[in-house]
Amino acid sequence: MAKNGSRPAYRCSECGWTTVKWVGRCGECQAWGTVEEVGGASAVRTSAVSPARPAVPIGEVDAQTARARSTGVAEFDRVLGGGIVPGAVVLMAGEPGIGKSTLALDVAARAARTGRSVLYVSGEESAAQVKLRAERIGAVADTLYLASETDLGTVLGQIEQTGPDLLVVDSVQTIASADVEGAPGNVGQVREVAGALIQAAKSRSTAAILIGHVTKDGAIAGPRVLEHLVDVVVQFEGERHSRLRLVRAVKNRFGPTDEVGCFDLGDSGINGLADPSGLFLTSRDRPVPGTCVTVTLEGRRPLVAELQALVTQSSAGSARRTTSGLDSSRLAMVLAVLGQRAGVPVADQDCYASTVGGVRLTEPAADLALALALTSARAGVALRTGTIAVGEVGLAGDLRPVTGLPRRLAEAARIGFTEAIVPSGSLSEGAPPRGMRVHEVPTLADAVLVVVQATEARGAAPVVTNA
């Protein structure tokens, strides 16, 4: 039977057998359909209470308390929307070793140097280990306090004793509450720890940065409610073998979510890159076959990136397709369109495609540059110096305009590119940058003619067979 009417119970009408949950068959007499509910939870109604802070007209609200303050790291400020707001809680997630702790420690030290009190709580490393990393990256400050704790109650006590302006917890999955069953990192523990830390930050107007782990699929570990509770969620991206790191805001209550910060992770720490385009280009004295430059948009930020391709005769029964920094299915589609619509014979060729600098290109705007790089590699003739290509390739061989083309062309012109190959109708948004010649072409076959003309001018055999 239910105790005090607080939880329901179920009883067999035949033999009186009871259970805490409904079953179709009695566990005592084995009769079917005889188990019925005999108790239920009593209804509870929350009564109104007098508010401690009555509502005020919106015009009288002091908005200065919600003004963002710079973290001292310009690229991180860009992602946050100008800085971190007092009382805001930022969840920083990423794979192990990608640079989360390094960036958080750098932000903590820079905030401490401005006179703010900062508490850095590490549940993964001892205070001595954090001190060694701080000395290596130059992140030592007088008002930066370190604590190595894994108990939630002790962490809350440290917050009460220190009274920090900025709190950094590394990581939220390593802190555990003694009042919740289970090991640190499980759903119940993460929910309780995050809720308590957010409550402490909000009540004291303390800005907080919570570092979170991710699963093997790249999702933030723990309950989904964790992302709903915090104000800002930023995600670290980057290849382990590359120094480039991208920090992207996937949720931001105080700013846009289409900004991306670029960082260089090295032995001396993590440094912001105000102009990262040069990382994705190869410095060479003369053009090389199989290369083409495009401009990709990371959020609202244009980045100039170089694609490289190598096409060789296949020695096996089936041609190989290998990519690095590109979607392999996108490469297969572009190769199929090149062969069927533009007459470039690549079906029996081994094709390798890669990006320079470890950048990953996923948007369709890089299709045209990939197609021209493959065509250039197949012909053995380089594109003209200073040429970029931006456009999406359709299965019918047509070229489709992409968004943000004026920003892309302006960034390319700033670096020194003088020619651009774009889909027809792309210049309807405005005139091209001064000093840049733009070729508008309707189909991929027309774009391939750029390589064909260069091939014929050098006396080589045409690469296009039926275009």
Side-chain angles (χ1 to χ4, degrees), residues 362-381:
T362 57
E363 64 167 345
D367 288 350
L368 181 56
L370 177 59
L372 294 184
L374 291 166
T375 306
S376 173
R378 181 71 175 89
V381 177

Side-chain angles (χ1 to χ4, degrees), residues 171-198:
S171 65
V172 69
Q173 280 88 4
T174 60
I175 309 298
S177 171
D179 298 328
V180 178
E181 295 182 357
N186 68 17
V187 173
Q189 287 285 4
V190 171
R191 183 186 292 111
E192 175 67 19
V193 170
L197 293 176
I198 292 172

Side-chain angles (χ1 to χ4, degrees), residues 310-333:
L310 179 64
V311 178
T312 62
Q313 184 64 41
S314 177
S315 58
S318 59
R320 296 188 60 184
R321 307 285 187 257
T322 305
T323 62
S324 176
L326 296 165
D327 187 2
S328 58
S329 60
R330 207 74 192 175
L331 171 64
M333 188 204 73

Side-chain angles (χ1 to χ4, degrees), residues 213-402:
H213 298 165
V214 297
T215 63
K216 62 181 181 180
D217 298 327
I220 299 175
R224 192 71 177 182
V225 70
L226 177 61
E227 299 177 51
H228 295 288
L229 290 175
V230 300
D231 301 302
V232 183
V233 179
V234 296
Q235 190 89 22
F236 260 82
E237 299 176 2
E239 298 291 337
R240 183 176 294 272
H241 62 273
S242 173
R243 297 177 55 176
L244 175 68
R245 297 292 185 266
L246 299 180
V247 179
R248 190 188 311 272
V250 296
K251 173 189 175 181
N252 193 348
R253 290 175 178 164
F254 311 108
T257 57
D258 55 356
E259 285 288 3
V260 175
C262 297
F263 295 88
D264 179 25
L265 181 64
D267 296 335
S268 60
I270 188 166
N271 302 309
L273 298 173
D275 186 14
S277 292
L279 291 176
F280 314 134
L281 298 175
T282 302
S283 300
R284 55 174 65 95
D285 298 332
R286 56 188 179 85
V288 176
T291 64
C292 187
V293 177
T294 189
V295 184
T296 183
L297 281 182
E298 288 290 349
R300 294 187 295 178
R301 190 174 195 171
L303 299 177
V304 179
E306 179 180 327
L307 286 82
Q308 296 181 346
L310 179 64
V311 178
T312 62
Q313 184 64 41
S314 177
S315 58
S318 59
R320 296 188 60 184
R321 307 285 187 257
T322 305
T323 62
S324 176
L326 296 165
D327 187 2
S328 58
S329 60
R330 207 74 192 175
L331 171 64
M333 188 204 73
V334 170
L335 287 172
V337 176
L338 271 176
Q340 188 69 22
R341 306 297 185 183
V344 180
V346 290
D348 59 343
Q349 305 288 309
D350 289 338
C351 298
Y352 306 87
S354 175
T355 58
V356 173
V359 64
R360 180 163 183 82
L361 302 182
T362 57
E363 64 167 345
D367 288 350
L368 181 56
L370 177 59
L372 294 184
L374 291 166
T375 306
S376 173
R378 181 71 175 89
V381 177
L383 294 172
R384 285 192 291 270
T385 304
T387 301
I388 67 165
V390 180
E392 179 182 356
V393 175
L395 293 179
D398 57 316
L399 298 182
R400 303 168 185 168
V402 298

Side-chain angles (χ1 to χ4, degrees), residues 53-66:
R53 294 188 299 270
V56 297
I58 190 172
E60 300 179 10
V61 176
D62 184 13
Q64 294 299 322
T65 58

Side-chain angles (χ1 to χ4, degrees), residues 121 123 148-158 174-179 193:
V121 179
S148 178
E149 304 289 350
T150 57
D151 178 68
L152 176 61
T154 308
V155 172
L156 295 177
Q158 292 280 8
T174 60
I175 309 298
S177 171
D179 298 328
V193 170

